[in-house]
Amino acid sequence: MGHRFTKVAEWNVRGSDVTGEMHGCRECGLVLVNDRRGALLIAPGGLGSMHKRIFPCQRPPRCKPATDAGQKLQKIYTELTGKNDPRFRIFR
């Protein structure tokens, strides 16, 4: 089974016209961030979890469905809304 990503947030990077995007997998809770520097994976468990930069020739790890994937994405939403940063546009 593959990842089923949903858009979590987007933002404008200061000094750039590139829009950053954050997508979360509804099956496993993995978060993928795309911005001007490339792609970054955030392990399920929140923004303070393990981060890994992936290169264009790499793919994200396999999707391992988890029963608490919705809770993991909700934690990301809560952390982003708690920042109160006007640059972020958060999707539900």
Side-chain angles (χ1 to χ4, degrees):
M1 178 179 227
H3 291 285
R4 291 181 39 194
F5 286 109
T6 184
K7 192 177 219 180
V8 174
E10 69 180 19
W11 61 91
N12 289 326
V13 179
R14 235 179 270 174
S16 175
D17 59 349
V18 176
T19 302
E21 294 181 338
M22 183 180 290
H23 299 274
C25 178
R26 292 179 286 185
E27 298 294 324
C28 67
L30 181 81
V31 176
L32 179 65
V33 177
N34 288 309
D35 62 8
R36 66 177 185 207
R37 297 171 293 192
L40 176 71
L41 291 176
I42 301 174
L47 297 176
S49 298
M50 179 185 69
H51 295 67
K52 179 185 185 290
R53 182 79 46 200
I54 59 173
F55 298 100
C57 60
Q58 294 177 313
R59 289 189 238 165
R62 283 185 39 179
C63 186
K64 298 175 187 163
T67 56
D68 61 343
Q71 293 173 345
K72 293 174 184 177
L73 287 180
Q74 183 61 39
K75 184 177 178 183
I76 297 287
Y77 284 122
T78 304
E79 289 180 38
L80 289 173
T81 54
K83 289 181 182 243
N84 293 323
D85 191 339
R87 293 179 296 156
F88 281 89
R89 182 171 169 219
I90 301 169
F91 299 91
R92 287 271 173 180

